[in-house]
Amino acid sequence: MTEAKKTATAAKTVKKAAPAKKTVAKKADAAATVKLAGATYATGKRKDSIARVYLVPGKGNIFVNEIPADKYFRRPVLQMIIAQPFGVTKRETAYDIHAMVIGGGLSGQAGAVKHGISKALEKVEPELRPALKAAGFLTRDSRVVERKHFGHHKARRSTQFSKR
């Protein structure tokens, strides 16, 4: 009986320790929100990815999930995709970007960040809209993966044909 009580007490202490970690995460989120208080916000989407993009006047630094973009997106193609809105509008060193991305893979996340940056640039400087619109950066790419269908191996791949 005493061993069972000790185990139950140990389990209770573990449960009490868990909320402390959550408050630390909340403090980090609060610090990030205070830092981005005067930022322009836009949401970008691509495939299953959603990017919350904050645009702040700065030197051209881009952070994705609190990591520098060149470390988060290691492939040069993905880094180029993110930088496209700045190249079209000639604003490479005018703004800092803080993006929070969830869902999808790296390619979809890069497209979502690009879409969010374009929308935020348009909010800050409405005269940039024609250039961004002509490049196709303000249009959400609505292509998503097709669902799997009943009786098929994948979305369209059917079962192997047997002659006999």
Side-chain angles (χ1 to χ4, degrees):
M1 281 257 181
T2 55
E3 290 179 38
K5 288 182 180 178
K6 288 179 184 177
T7 311
T9 312
K12 288 181 183 176
T13 56
V14 171
K15 289 180 183 177
K16 289 181 183 177
K21 291 180 182 177
K22 290 180 182 177
T23 54
V24 172
K26 287 181 182 177
K27 287 181 183 177
D29 289 341
T33 356
V34 170
K35 188 167 63 173
L36 301 172
T40 304
Y41 171 79
T43 304
K45 296 181 181 182
R46 172 97 179 26
K47 292 187 177 180
D48 277 340
S49 303
I50 300 172
R52 294 178 296 168
V53 176
Y54 295 91
L55 190 76
V56 184
K59 299 176 182 174
N61 299 322
I62 301 175
F63 295 97
V64 179
N65 292 346
E66 303 297 326
I67 301 170
D70 56 336
K71 300 275 191 266
Y72 191 84
F73 297 113
R74 293 193 179 264
R75 282 187 274 164
V77 173
L78 300 179
Q79 295 172 14
M80 181 196 70
I81 287 172
I82 291 175
Q84 281 178 336
F86 293 118
V88 168
T89 58
K90 309 279 192 288
R91 302 284 192 279
E92 288 89 356
T93 58
Y95 299 102
D96 285 347
I97 299 294
H98 294 273
M100 278 68 111
V101 190
I102 56 168
L106 287 177
S107 176
Q109 288 183 353
V113 171
K114 176 177 93 168
H115 186 228
I117 290 172
S118 302
K119 286 171 67 174
L121 279 171
E122 182 207 1
K123 277 186 183 177
V124 172
E125 299 182 45
E127 64 272 7
L128 297 177
R129 182 177 171 79
L132 292 168
K133 188 75 174 166
F137 297 157
L138 296 177
T139 307
R140 191 246 200 255
D141 189 355
S142 60
R143 295 176 295 168
V144 292
V145 178
E146 187 177 353
R147 75 173 187 86
K148 183 191 178 301
H149 296 105
F150 175 75
H152 289 260
H153 288 298
K154 294 170 74 178
R156 298 193 174 209
R157 167 87 168 95
S158 69
T159 55
Q160 185 173 356
F161 175 73
S162 172
K163 216 183 248 189
R164 292 171 198 87

